[in-house]
Amino acid sequence: MDAQLTAAARGLQIAGIVICLTGNREPAVCACLRDVLKSEGPEQIKKLIEGAAVDWLELPGRVPAFGSGE
């Protein structure tokens, strides 16, 4: 259960960073970005964003089609 909550929290954190960056907000005012930078450093942010991009690109193939019974 802890791993699932951690993964969900990380996903929300990454989504917040992406929203800040795509919304042309200054990175310095993005609370999600500041938190990850402070606790994990810039290299980890790069890894997280790259991993999230791959996950989001693969997401349509992971979601069962509506009415498929899965």
Side-chain angles (χ1 to χ4, degrees):
M1 184 67 158
D2 286 343
Q4 291 174 332
L5 289 174
T6 300
R10 180 57 60 140
L12 290 172
Q13 201 172 37
I14 295 301
I17 292 169
V18 170
I19 289 169
C20 287
L21 297 178
T22 59
N24 294 325
R25 296 178 94 186
E26 287 292 320
V29 299
C30 180
C32 295
L33 182 59
R34 273 195 326 262
D35 184 52
V36 175
L37 268 173
K38 185 168 70 172
S39 64
E40 300 184 39
E43 188 57 37
Q44 183 65 14
I45 288 179
K46 181 179 177 184
K47 289 179 186 176
L48 290 170
I49 291 174
E50 289 170 354
V54 170
D55 288 346
W56 289 335
L57 289 173
E58 294 175 358
L59 186 61
R62 295 180 184 178
V63 177
F66 181 73
S68 68
E70 291 184 40

